[in-house]
Amino acid sequence: MSPPHYKLTYFNMMGRAEPMRLMFAYAGVPYEDNRIEKEQWPALKSHMPNGQIPVLEVDGKQLSQSMAISTFLAKKFGLDGKDDWESAKVQEMLGTLDDVKLKFRPWMMEQDANKKAEIFKTVLTETIDPYLERLSETLKKNGSGYFVGQKPTQVDFHLFHIFNWWQQGNIATESIKKHPELVAFTEKMGSNPKIKQWLEKRPKTAM
Amino acid sequence: MPTYKLYYFNIRGRAEPARFLFHLAGVPYEDIRIEHADWPKHKEETPWGQLPVLEVDGKKLAQTAAIYQYLAKQFGYNGKSDWETAQVQELLGSTEDVFSSFGPVFRTQDEAEKKKLMEKVVADTVIPYLTRLQKRFEANGTDYFVGNSLTVADLLFMGMISNFKDKVFPEIAEKFPKLDAFAARISQEPKIKEWIEKRPKTDM
């Protein structure tokens, strides 16, 4: 029986697809990294199951919703925890990360540079700093260098992507620096040979 | 058997699919309902300052989707294959976008403004969503949203359709007859009907 054919469709950016791309790289599993330009999207939208991307196609069957895609792949690649409880804790962390990302939206949508900077200050103090504090505690308490259990799970890839993106974009640099274990985590993930290879060869995009 | 506790407000809201799962499985649990006035003092006891929270043998789990999927997995309502499980998660995820679009409506105090915003949410978000959802339901070709068996997604949609009918969009029955029929049929399944009849009656 031949391995499944995977195709991941998303914009030509990191965004919601990057954690999955990182997992494919880490697991050494080939896939079609289908990137579409913003101009192509309106025409494609009606062909996507929920009018949204990312979409994962597995042997022609389509799956939308980044968490569903991420979890489906994580299970295939052994990156979803060692038992149901760990998988549940992984879901919990993905959910809280999503809540945090929602709070970024006003900042990301704002075009005016001055307003953007003002919004960011609020996002930083009300959301990012407390969240980093919680993450740092979780990492320390878990004690394995990963966020859930003793081995990497999809959460580590989602969080690595965020920290890596912030590093690249010089976002919240001072905040991250306050948490050496988060810095160490980012370095450790980034130095994994398969991940490193992907970081070097992937298309360079701002986000 | 593990000791289960479910913490939420005294409403159906986000906890209801979980409460259905316990009832379907015939598994006892403590259905802890926190009054809004008491919430501030309990907030710090929760993992992330939010409800619902599931406690299993003293260990706490937050995030609605995590709770649904954990319980659904334990009790057999999470699909019959990895692909079906992924579809359940996809469907659960799709509701978050819709539910979050109501945020601004709830936060508005002015009644006239609220009504206008609600109409906009229904037109811009709810109707397109239900259109896709009904197509998807029909395409699956069974009495359920995923495969040929009840999953937590069905429980969520049953509640959502019924809530929309009561509060947001009474025309749902005529505009989306397949969804309305689905919700009516599911709510007649014996254990589901049983919980609907015996649960505390709350506004939402």
Side-chain angles (χ1 to χ4, degrees):
Chain A
M1 194 168 121
S2 60
H5 177 82
Y6 293 112
K7 178 172 162 182
L8 183 66
T9 301
Y10 191 59
F11 293 113
N12 183 17
M13 54 187 250
M14 296 183 294
R16 289 184 170 279
E18 199 62 14
M20 284 77 99
R21 294 185 184 122
L22 288 164
M23 288 195 287
F24 272 117
Y26 180 81
V29 171
Y31 70 109
E32 212 184 310
D33 183 13
N34 185 31
R35 291 163 183 259
I36 64 179
E37 296 302 331
K38 289 224 161 81
E39 308 81 61
Q40 298 170 276
W41 176 231
L44 239 50
K45 197 171 150 85
S46 55
H47 297 285
M48 294 299 157
N50 290 313
Q52 292 174 325
I53 43 182
V55 166
L56 178 72
E57 219 173 274
V58 185
D59 290 335
K61 293 180 303 189
Q62 290 180 316
L63 183 70
S64 68
Q65 286 290 318
S66 45
M67 300 243 270
I69 295 169
S70 183
T71 302
F72 179 78
L73 293 174
K75 286 198 180 116
K76 295 287 176 206
F77 303 159
L79 297 170
D80 200 38
K82 72 170 203 272
D83 57 26
D84 290 345
W85 186 256
E86 281 195 1
S87 298
K89 292 311 266 182
V90 165
Q91 291 300 317
E92 183 188 279
M93 288 203 72
L94 290 180
T96 54
L97 176 60
D98 235 33
D99 288 345
V100 166
K101 283 190 199 163
L102 258 176
K103 303 241 167 85
F104 281 16
R105 279 252 204 96
W107 169 66
M108 300 199 57
M109 311 258 75
E110 182 58 59
Q111 303 293 346
D112 177 276
N114 286 327
K115 286 207 191 109
K116 206 174 167 86
E118 275 310 303
I119 295 177
F120 190 72
K121 279 196 206 136
T122 311
V123 171
L124 199 61
T125 36
E126 286 182 8
T127 303
I128 295 180
D129 284 334
Y131 184 55
L132 293 180
E133 189 67 50
R134 287 298 307 265
L135 287 181
S136 175
E137 260 170 54
T138 302
L139 196 56
K140 282 190 274 204
K141 201 161 162 217
N142 196 40
S144 66
Y146 302 109
F147 282 90
V148 177
Q150 300 304 305
K151 295 174 359 175
T153 66
Q154 49 170 330
V155 167
D156 299 296
F157 292 88
H158 282 260
L159 289 171
F160 170 70
H161 163 59
I162 298 287
F163 299 147
N164 172 258
W165 165 47
W166 284 359
Q167 237 170 26
Q168 181 188 285
N170 197 21
I171 299 167
T173 313
E174 291 310 310
S175 290
I176 296 257
K177 273 202 207 144
K178 290 185 204 151
H179 304 282
E181 46 296 309
L182 296 182
V183 174
F185 162 80
T186 309
E187 256 167 51
K188 175 168 150 183
M189 290 287 287
S191 63
N192 169 276
K194 298 244 177 71
I195 294 183
K196 194 160 180 228
Q197 196 179 55
W198 172 246
L199 297 182
E200 283 163 4
K201 77 174 227 207
R202 71 181 172 186
K204 306 292 176 273
T205 57
M207 50 176 186
Chain B
M1 178 166 297
T3 305
Y4 291 106
K5 292 185 190 184
L6 183 68
Y7 298 83
Y8 193 57
F9 299 107
N10 185 18
I11 58 176
R12 298 186 303 279
R14 286 173 172 279
E16 205 60 11
R19 294 182 181 127
F20 272 114
L21 286 171
F22 279 115
H23 198 80
L24 281 163
V27 170
Y29 73 109
E30 221 180 305
D31 182 12
I32 298 167
R33 291 160 183 261
I34 297 173
E35 293 302 330
H36 274 102
D38 295 331
W39 170 231
K41 68 173 182 253
H42 288 289
K43 200 170 149 92
E44 292 311 307
E45 296 162 357
T46 65
W48 291 89
Q50 294 173 324
L51 295 177
V53 167
L54 175 71
E55 200 180 291
V56 184
D57 287 339
K59 295 177 305 190
K60 291 190 168 133
L61 181 71
Q63 287 289 322
T64 314
I67 293 170
Y68 292 168
Q69 281 161 81
Y70 179 76
L71 292 175
K73 175 95 200 284
Q74 301 314 299
F75 304 152
Y77 295 98
N78 205 27
K80 304 280 180 224
S81 66
D82 286 345
W83 187 254
E84 283 193 4
T85 299
Q87 289 185 294
V88 170
Q89 188 165 14
E90 181 188 11
L91 288 165
L92 293 178
S94 76
T95 63
E96 280 304 322
D97 294 338
V98 177
F99 293 159
S100 63
S101 68
F102 286 103
V105 180
F106 292 138
R107 286 193 285 273
T108 305
Q109 303 296 350
D110 178 84
E111 285 305 317
E113 189 60 38
K114 212 175 170 90
K115 189 163 184 284
K116 237 174 65 180
L117 263 174
M118 182 65 103
E119 281 166 14
K120 190 171 193 309
V121 168
V122 170
D124 293 351
T125 305
V126 175
I127 291 181
Y129 179 68
L130 294 178
T131 305
R132 274 198 292 270
L133 198 67
Q134 184 165 266
K135 275 205 190 104
R136 177 154 181 160
F137 176 71
E138 290 179 280
N140 193 44
T142 71
D143 281 346
Y144 307 103
F145 269 90
V146 177
N148 195 14
S149 63
L150 186 76
T151 66
V152 63
D154 298 303
L155 296 170
L156 182 68
F157 288 132
M158 175 189 68
M160 181 189 84
I161 291 162
S162 151
N163 287 335
F164 279 176
K165 204 167 170 176
D166 284 342
K167 302 225 172 300
V168 167
F169 183 38
E171 308 81 33
I172 195 175
E174 61 168 299
K175 292 221 158 73
F176 300 100
K178 292 270 162 39
L179 292 180
D180 189 48
F182 156 80
R185 195 170 46 243
I186 297 289
S187 59
Q188 291 302 308
E189 290 199 10
K191 292 229 142 233
I192 293 179
K193 189 169 179 206
E194 206 174 72
W195 176 243
I196 293 175
E197 283 167 1
K198 79 176 239 201
R199 68 187 171 187
K201 305 293 174 275
T202 56
D203 190 41
M204 1 181 228

